[in-house]
Amino acid sequence: MGKVYVTRELPAGGLDCLAEHQVDVNSEDRPLSREELMAKVKEYDAVISLLSDKIDAEIIHAAAGKVKIFANYAVGYDNIDITAAAKVGIWVTNTPGVLTEATADIAWALLLAASRHVVAADKFTRAGKFKGWHPTLFLGGDFWGATLGIVGAGRIGQATARRAKGFGMKVIYYNRSPRPEFESQEGARRVDLKSLLATSDYVSLHLPLTPDTRGLLDAKHLELLKPTAVLVNTSRGPVVDEACLASMLARGRLAAAGFDVYAEEPRIHPNLLALDNVVLLPHIGSASRQTRLKMAEMAAANVREVLAGREPFNPVKGI
Ligand code: DGY
């Protein structure tokens, strides 16, 4: 029997496959402090972690020789120093695939809500300001015939693009390597990042956070966007310069934006909070009941495999 620590309560039933192990869950409704996490990794054989748990080289060092796996409850794993983990022989796993469709749905929720002012119009209506049909009330942009630019054509980027078919949109994408199947199936065209930003009516970010993508969408790039464009981010906050976007939105230099992720979560840039042409969500891309359960089952299955002396199903880096 192994000892498994789960850094936050997960959907009921998700950890059933670990029944033969001792599973302890942080039952307090708050993230673990660094000191608490440091103590847990000295005590447990496996840790199911969240994207908000910063597992850096120091934590990995403390875990070395005890923890066999960090099973991250997320597809992204930028919160974990995977190089340090590999050096000391600790597996790191993620939850790819199961959250693709839910996250693509949220990208679309943001695209639609931001472009058509859904949140501002709801507030307006509740405030009793709706005095009858008005020819220019809350004018937004069309989707039909418009161009959607997908930045990062991995699973989620492609799933977001698939939905554009139903809206009658053209799809262009930026990705380091070409995606021939995506191109033939979805009619998507690969372009460089600058052309994508300059020609898209809607831009959806789907980049993993890596040293190469951190700050990729800087002021120089963002200035290329059309003033009528709408940009949404469901990937990771640090890939885009939030302060620059906030300033563009405030000046009417960009029509609207939608965020599910932020550079310094859970802090929201104060200049974004002040704007009406931005929709702000609390990192809920994968938050459907079905998806979150599958993520828990996947993380648990990876732990089960490693505690049984086998390789996990979803390693992010072999050891
Ligand atoms: C992930 O999995 O990386 C998302 O950001 C949260 O589900």
Side-chain angles (χ1 to χ4, degrees), residues 67-255:
V67 171
K68 296 181 180 61
I69 173 172
F70 284 105
N72 217 34
Y73 182 64
V75 68
Y77 47 87
D78 47 279
N79 57 308
I80 303 182
D81 186 333
I82 56 170
T83 312
K87 270 193 198 143
V88 297
I90 299 179
W91 290 102
V92 176
T93 61
N94 67 343
T95 62
V98 291
L99 49 80
T100 301
E101 304 301 333
T103 309
D105 288 343
I106 274 290
W108 270 96
L110 283 174
L111 286 166
L112 289 162
S115 175
R116 299 296 300 274
H117 312 289
V118 171
V119 176
D122 175 275
K123 272 192 212 148
F124 173 93
T125 309
R126 287 171 199 271
K129 294 182 182 168
F130 178 40
K131 303 295 181 204
W133 191 85
H134 189 294
T136 56
L137 187 61
F138 288 116
L139 296 184
D142 269 338
F143 283 85
W144 178 262
T147 298
L148 172 64
I150 298 286
V151 181
R155 292 185 194 85
I156 301 171
Q158 293 189 30
T160 302
R162 255 197 324 274
R163 286 154 174 72
K165 251 193 194 161
F167 284 87
M169 300 178 84
K170 298 183 205 63
V171 177
I172 56 179
Y173 76 100
Y174 162 75
N175 202 65
R176 250 192 339 203
S177 45
R179 301 284 197 200
E181 255 182 49
F182 177 46
E183 294 183 18
S184 57
Q185 281 169 12
E186 307 306 326
R189 191 165 54 84
R190 183 166 172 244
V191 295
D192 62 51
L193 183 57
K194 287 185 173 160
S195 321
L196 182 142
L197 295 169
T199 54
S200 295
D201 300 298
Y202 295 90
V203 175
S204 192
L205 307 184
H206 299 283
L207 295 165
L209 180 60
T210 67
D212 289 343
T213 63
R214 185 177 287 276
L216 180 65
L217 288 129
D218 56 9
K220 213 171 61 237
H221 278 103
L222 294 175
E223 283 304 327
L224 298 168
L225 287 163
K226 292 182 183 180
T228 48
V230 173
L231 179 143
V232 303
N233 188 8
T234 54
S235 59
R236 285 294 183 265
V239 302
V240 64
D241 183 340
E242 280 175 356
C244 175
L245 273 183
S247 151
M248 290 171 75
L249 289 158
R251 286 182 277 130
R253 174 58 189 79
L254 182 67

